[in-house]
Amino acid sequence: MNATLLDRLRAELEQRRATAGLRRDLVVSGAQGPTLGVGGEPLVNFASNDYLGLAGDPEVLDSAQEALRDLGLGVAAGRVLCGTRTVHSELEAGIAELVGAEDAVLYSSCFDANLGVFDALLGPDDVILSDALNHASLIDGIRLAQARRRVFAHADLDELERCLADSAEARHRLIVTDGVFSMDGDVVALPQVSELARRYDAALLVDDSHATGVLGATGAGTAEHFGLKGRIDVLTGTLGKALGGGAGGFVAGSRAVVETLRQVSRPYIFTNAMVPALAVAALTAIRIARGRPELRERLAANTSWLRGELRDLGYEVLPGEHPIIPVMLRGGTLARDVAAALRREGVLVFALSHPVVPAGEERIRVQVSASHTAEHLERAAAAFGRVRTALAGS
Ligand SMILES: *Cc1c(COP(=O)(O)O)cnc(C)c1O
């Protein structure tokens, strides 16, 4: 191994250890669910994106097992060679129907979808207008494209409009935003953003990863939540959160958009096709997400109960309705200390600290699921209560 490279990496790791600290993955035993085995102790899990609890749904798992038996593990080929199976096409149709688009195309992940969409659709004469808090995969995908990039302050419609007004020379403008932002759990002001897009003849791309399956009467996402289902030009999303928590991403939109991606999008063309059993599982998850609105009702009731309890305990909770509940614990290592204390109380949550969020905006992110029972929720509230008391006494 080259000593010059190794020496530099070791020095940088040492620097990182001394300043921000090194990340250490939490190693979990057993399956995803409302509780997780960590070091033998089951913790009540408020840290996964399994909003509808479908990762452990028996129908989802049975369908995947059957597909694994019938179709095998992997296809050892890309989609454009001999990797495409009937179930891939069925899943693409299922996604398009869920979100109200003409068509959809699968990727290995939403990260891949976001890496592959911008360069394929835009060129150097185009301008991308991107929210400052957009997901890392959107930021990277935009960097890979030849279009020029303008970043507007998070949710700042006035700045977005100024950017639109002074990019009139562009061939196309594309507004890019998360549907639900993962740090604050806030939902994009879609009616206003769509209206700006219409007025300035711009296209709109929404990454709905935290909203697909979760928001809207049938789980179609942010657009359905606002009565605008099917009106987003380009929608990207994941199968790794509410829709079973497996893996996979997609882009949905007009036939011309999807066909263009199939022809030229590099992370679609130059990678292995999705494991067919995963596609089958996602298709089952979509059917359940659409057909059982009571899962979203339970999720909303669980979220609203826990939000209320945390507020009553005196915690600063950012307002909102999404199952992401940001509990603000500003300054220093408070958020990290509280997360550690909660873990000792049997509740798994993660602290978000600088530089993931700005200094002074440190928080714990609590993520609620329809699979949480009253007992899980009460255990969380009681643990937050005891930690609050200990904080007040110290
Ligand atoms: C989780 C997430 C992704 C990544 O999705 P994967 O399918 O896990 O790659 C992309 N965008 C947003 C907004 C996300 O929240």
Side-chain angles (χ1 to χ4, degrees):
M1 179 68 196
N2 176 265
T4 321
L5 175 60
L6 269 189
D7 286 348
R8 198 202 95 230
L9 295 179
R10 286 190 182 122
E12 285 181 2
L13 282 170
E14 206 38 62
Q15 175 82 16
R16 188 181 282 267
R17 193 195 319 275
T19 53
L22 293 179
R23 296 174 195 272
R24 284 282 172 257
D25 292 353
L26 178 78
V27 180
V28 174
S29 52
Q32 156 59 24
T35 62
L36 288 180
V38 179
E41 278 292 295
L43 300 179
V44 192
N45 173 17
F46 286 91
S48 297
N49 305 304
D50 184 16
Y51 297 117
L52 300 178
L54 297 182
D57 184 275
E59 258 188 89
V60 172
L61 298 178
D62 285 350
S63 70
Q65 253 154 13
E66 196 177 315
L68 197 56
R69 216 168 38 233
D70 296 347
L71 300 170
L73 180 64
V75 296
R79 289 288 304 274
V80 298
L81 295 170
C82 59
T84 295
R85 299 292 185 274
T86 315
V87 293
H88 294 122
S89 310
E90 286 170 355
L91 177 55
E92 287 168 339
I95 290 166
E97 204 183 334
L98 170 70
V99 302
E102 279 181 6
D103 203 355
V105 54
L106 285 174
Y107 287 81
S108 304
S109 67
C110 186
F111 205 113
D112 264 11
N114 288 340
L115 289 186
V117 69
F118 299 102
D119 187 46
L121 299 182
L122 300 174
D125 297 334
D126 303 323
V127 172
I128 295 171
L129 307 155
S130 176
D131 187 288
L133 289 192
N134 276 343
H135 190 264
S137 54
L138 290 171
I139 294 170
D140 287 5
I142 291 168
R143 282 199 189 123
L144 287 175
Q146 292 186 62
R148 277 183 297 131
R149 164 176 46 130
R150 296 277 302 266
V151 176
F152 58 93
H154 174 52
D156 186 335
L157 297 176
D158 293 332
E159 192 181 350
L160 171 58
E161 179 157 18
R162 281 197 300 279
C163 291
L164 285 164
D166 56 44
S167 57
E169 79 297 344
R171 181 182 61 170
H172 306 301
R173 271 85 57 82
L174 177 66
I175 302 170
V176 178
T177 179
D178 282 14
V180 171
F181 290 85
S182 61
M183 299 298 153
D184 292 353
D186 58 325
V187 184
V188 65
L190 194 64
Q192 290 79 0
V193 172
S194 299
E195 173 53 24
L196 280 177
R198 192 196 59 77
R199 191 143 26 100
Y200 287 89
D201 188 29
L204 175 60
L205 181 147
V206 175
D207 176 345
D208 233 10
S209 289
H210 282 285
T212 311
V214 177
L215 295 185
T218 66
T222 303
E224 187 178 34
H225 174 75
F226 287 111
L228 296 169
K229 183 177 161 188
R231 303 266 290 278
I232 292 169
D233 297 296
V234 186
L235 189 80
T236 73
T238 184
L239 305 172
K241 291 187 170 112
L243 298 180
F250 60 84
V251 180
S254 306
R255 276 191 199 93
V257 166
V258 171
E259 187 60 36
T260 301
L261 296 174
R262 290 189 200 280
Q263 298 304 316
V264 303
S265 180
R266 294 162 70 83
Y268 174 74
I269 298 167
F270 295 102
T271 199
N272 203 16
M274 178 183 289
V275 170
L278 265 180
V280 169
L283 203 47
T284 310
I286 288 174
R287 184 167 48 70
I288 295 173
R290 294 186 68 187
R292 292 180 55 197
E294 64 271 22
L295 289 176
R296 272 178 298 282
E297 284 158 24
R298 194 178 317 145
L299 176 61
N302 284 354
T303 301
S304 128
W305 186 85
L306 192 56
R307 273 183 174 278
E309 289 295 306
L310 293 172
R311 264 197 308 267
D312 290 350
L313 288 167
Y315 285 99
E316 179 192 352
V317 177
L318 291 187
E321 290 168 45
H322 192 272
I324 292 173
I325 308 179
V327 180
M328 305 307 287
L329 295 154
R330 301 172 188 274
T333 61
L334 181 61
R336 247 183 280 169
D337 297 344
V338 169
L342 287 165
R343 196 170 301 179
R344 289 192 294 274
E345 295 278 350
V347 172
L348 182 66
V349 288
F350 283 92
L352 304 176
S353 303
H354 184 70
V356 175
V357 291
E361 301 266 310
E362 295 84 0
R363 67 197 64 186
I364 281 175
R365 180 169 56 183
V366 179
Q367 291 177 282
V368 180
S369 169
S371 65
H372 287 129
T373 63
E375 195 206 329
H376 296 136
L377 296 165
E378 278 158 18
R379 275 180 63 188
F384 268 98
R386 283 192 294 274
V387 171
R388 178 95 195 156
T389 310
L391 281 180
S394 66

